[in-house]
Amino acid sequence: MPLNINWQQILLHLLNLVILVVGLYLLLYKPVKKFMKKREDAYKEREESTQAALDNAKAKEEEYSSRLAGVEEEVSQKREEAAKELAEVRTQKLQQVAQEADDMLSSARERAQKEHDRIINGVSDDIKEIVGEAAEKVVMTSSVNDAYEQFLNAAESGAKSAHAGKKKTVTSMSKADKKVGARKKK
Amino acid sequence: MKTRTKKIIGWSVVALIVAALIVGIILTDGLYTNSEDISEVMQDAVLHEENTVDIFGFQANPGLVSAYLVTIILLVAAALIRIFAIPKFTRVPGKFQLAVESIVGWFDKLAKTNSPHRNSFLGAYIFGAGCYIFTGTLFELIGVAVVSSAGNSVVLPAPLSDINGAIAMGFLSYFVILSGGIVSNGMRGVGRTLKDFSLPISMSFRLFGALLSGLLVSELVYYYIALSFVLPVVVGVLFTLLHALIQTYVLVMLTSLFYGEVSEPYEKKAKVKKKKAVKQ
């Protein structure tokens, strides 16, 4: 063969190459590629999980911000409602207090009127009684002058006893005076 | 100070001249001339007709011995890495892990870029072929010497500087491309691959020519002892390193490009209906 080409040696070279390629594939190329693929997958997985966590955090942030906006709105709404309610309660209370004050005032007035009436009535009865007793005495006595004098004495003694109050004892008064004093006390 | 510096420079120049003269006298001595003729040396480097190696009675070219040695070296290294290094790989790689991952990743990426539709087998093939070409080319730097059948001492060359090795590599790459075409597109893939029938020849002879040229230059340099100073550092190491990288890249790139081309899925072209001119 020209150029010393030898088919047997070419085949031997081919065999050598096949052995080498297969050997290097099994011993080096495949395991290294497998390791690199494994590492790549691990990093990809980590990246995906990080991305998922980021997305989740973003979604939560959006959710919370929207919820926060809702809460603020709700708070302002509640505040308005509370203010409105408070105003209502205040007006009701004011009305109630005013009503109670009116009632108390009217009842106090009524009671005062009653007391006034009672006092007035009591005093007029006393006067009537005094006058009746005096008249009776006058009629019983002989003369008008005596009667008048007795009336005056009786009136004076009655007035004194009334003014002296508790200082003087009632023992010095007449029967008539005692009756007048007792009525007054009533 | 100035006079002292001048003195030092002057004496240095004199010493260099004397040294150069001594080297010249030694090199021009008949003792150091090669017994073989340069044309014979270069012819043997190309054809390996004389210096074959006897392996169990089989006369093999030195390139074949180199090929098997390179394969053994690579497989042992791979096995050691597989057993001791790969189980200790961590998520954050160290220097060695980074180097291994970079090499594997580079071939894988090249396969994926040039053949996006089908690339798992291509990646494995170009990884093996690339490692073989690179290591095989650097193998000649080691300078493993064997005794030829003729009794001469032969330094084992790069495996692909043997034409049989280059043809094997070219044809194997072509078969890989063909297999990609068949698996992806069936008979259409075969047609696509056969269209580039000159590919195995061009691949083989490109490799052979490139590596042989390096070998011949090295032979030429080493033949003359006068050229054996300083120059081999550039020729022997730098050229071989560059050579290894370039040849690896070229074959791997070509294989993956053609593989990607033939394994591309066939798409039916939409028929363009010719509008007949309606005569009114």
Side-chain angles (χ1 to χ4, degrees):
Chain A
M1 287 287 278
L3 288 169
N4 198 20
I5 294 170
N6 187 326
W7 288 110
Q8 198 179 22
Q9 290 202 28
I10 290 172
L11 291 174
L12 280 166
H13 272 288
L14 278 173
L15 176 69
N16 174 49
L17 280 172
V18 170
I19 291 167
L20 179 73
V21 169
V22 172
L24 281 182
Y25 171 72
L26 291 175
L27 290 169
L28 210 59
Y29 188 77
K30 195 181 169 186
V32 173
K33 254 195 87 175
K34 194 180 170 186
F35 175 81
M36 286 162 73
K37 179 84 172 58
K38 199 177 168 185
R39 184 177 56 191
E40 195 183 324
D41 288 346
Y43 279 119
K44 205 176 273 180
E45 198 177 315
R46 196 182 286 184
E47 196 183 330
E48 278 171 9
S49 63
T50 311
Q51 190 59 45
L54 274 172
D55 290 344
N56 194 21
K58 211 171 192 179
K60 273 195 176 174
E61 192 191 346
E62 280 174 10
E63 188 193 330
Y64 284 137
S65 60
S66 65
R67 201 186 280 182
L68 201 65
V71 164
E72 276 174 9
E73 201 175 317
E74 202 177 330
V75 164
S76 63
Q77 203 174 330
K78 290 259 180 188
R79 202 175 284 167
E80 275 176 23
E81 277 176 17
K84 209 178 276 182
E85 207 172 314
L86 192 68
E88 275 177 21
V89 169
R90 193 191 291 165
T91 47
Q92 274 181 3
K93 282 277 178 191
L94 278 172
Q95 280 174 356
Q96 201 178 334
V97 166
Q99 186 65 40
E100 278 177 10
D102 282 349
D103 289 349
M104 279 169 73
L105 200 63
S106 60
S107 67
R109 271 180 188 158
E110 206 172 300
R111 264 186 290 155
Q113 188 63 42
K114 275 180 183 173
E115 189 69 22
H116 176 261
D117 290 349
R118 191 183 59 77
I119 289 165
I120 294 296
N121 287 337
V123 169
S124 61
D125 285 347
D126 285 347
I127 291 167
K128 276 177 185 173
E129 213 169 300
I130 291 163
V131 170
E133 281 179 6
E136 231 175 74
K137 281 177 181 177
V138 168
V139 171
M140 297 296 278
T141 55
S142 56
S143 64
V144 177
N145 288 335
D146 291 341
Y148 182 66
E149 206 166 316
Q150 279 177 356
F151 170 72
L152 287 173
N153 289 335
E156 198 177 346
S157 65
K160 274 180 181 175
S161 66
H163 283 292
K166 289 171 185 178
K167 290 178 182 176
K168 281 187 178 178
T169 55
V170 189
T171 50
S172 62
M173 286 175 70
S174 64
K175 276 185 179 178
D177 291 338
K178 281 176 185 175
K179 283 179 183 177
V180 170
R183 278 172 189 160
K184 273 182 182 175
K185 275 179 187 172
K186 284 177 186 177
Chain B
M1 285 294 284
K2 281 182 180 177
T3 51
R4 199 174 176 181
T5 316
K6 277 181 182 177
K7 270 184 183 177
I8 291 168
I9 292 168
W11 281 113
S12 303
V13 170
V14 172
L16 278 173
I17 290 166
V18 171
L21 284 170
I22 292 165
V23 168
I25 290 160
I26 293 167
L27 292 180
T28 49
D29 194 272
L31 184 69
Y32 299 100
T33 51
N34 205 319
S35 57
E36 281 183 296
D37 184 37
I38 180 66
S39 58
E40 284 174 9
V41 171
M42 295 186 83
Q43 191 180 348
D44 192 57
V46 178
L47 301 174
H48 305 289
E49 282 172 335
E50 195 180 332
N51 290 323
T52 53
V53 181
D54 182 46
I55 302 169
F56 307 115
F58 175 71
Q59 294 299 313
N61 288 347
L64 186 64
V65 181
S66 304
Y68 276 90
L69 273 176
V70 167
T71 300
I72 290 165
I73 290 167
L74 278 173
L75 288 180
V76 168
L80 288 174
I81 292 170
R82 176 71 187 88
I83 293 164
F84 296 110
I86 291 175
K88 289 177 184 172
F89 274 11
T90 51
R91 275 193 182 175
V92 181
K95 283 178 186 172
F96 181 72
Q97 184 185 339
L98 194 67
V100 174
E101 280 184 16
S102 298
I103 294 165
V104 172
W106 188 81
F107 284 106
D108 184 48
K109 194 182 170 188
L110 190 75
K112 280 177 181 165
T113 313
N114 290 314
S115 177
H117 305 289
R118 183 175 289 278
N119 49 46
S120 56
F121 175 65
L122 175 68
Y125 174 72
I126 60 171
F127 176 71
C131 288
Y132 179 69
I133 297 168
F134 185 77
T135 319
T137 311
L138 290 184
F139 180 75
E140 70 180 12
L141 280 178
I142 302 170
V144 179
V146 290
V147 180
S148 68
S149 309
N152 295 327
S153 172
V154 179
V155 175
L156 290 180
L160 294 168
S161 65
D162 180 5
I163 190 155
N164 298 317
I167 288 172
M169 176 57 90
F171 271 86
L172 188 62
S173 300
Y174 186 72
F175 290 140
V176 166
I177 294 165
L178 187 69
S179 72
I182 292 168
V183 172
S184 295
N185 295 316
M187 286 310 288
R188 199 183 296 276
V190 177
R192 277 183 186 177
T193 316
L194 289 176
K195 189 179 71 184
D196 300 311
F197 63 90
S198 63
L199 199 63
I201 299 161
S202 68
M203 277 178 141
S204 307
F205 283 85
R206 184 185 290 111
L207 259 179
F208 176 62
L211 288 156
L212 189 68
S213 63
L215 181 77
L216 290 178
V217 172
S218 301
E219 288 286 346
L220 197 65
V221 167
Y222 289 125
Y223 183 80
Y224 298 105
I225 199 160
L227 296 173
S228 298
F229 296 93
V230 184
L231 202 59
V233 177
V234 179
V235 176
V237 181
L238 292 182
F239 279 10
T240 311
L241 268 171
L242 265 174
H243 213 49
L245 281 172
I246 292 165
Q247 291 314 315
T248 305
Y249 184 74
V250 168
L251 186 118
V252 159
M253 178 61 84
L254 281 174
T255 307
S256 54
L257 270 173
F258 281 111
Y259 190 95
E261 194 183 311
V262 299
S263 65
E264 195 177 3
Y266 175 72
E267 284 178 16
K268 281 185 179 178
K269 288 177 184 174
K271 287 179 181 176
V272 182
K273 289 179 181 176
K274 290 180 181 175
K275 288 179 182 176
K276 290 178 181 176
V278 183
K279 291 178 182 177
Q280 287 182 343

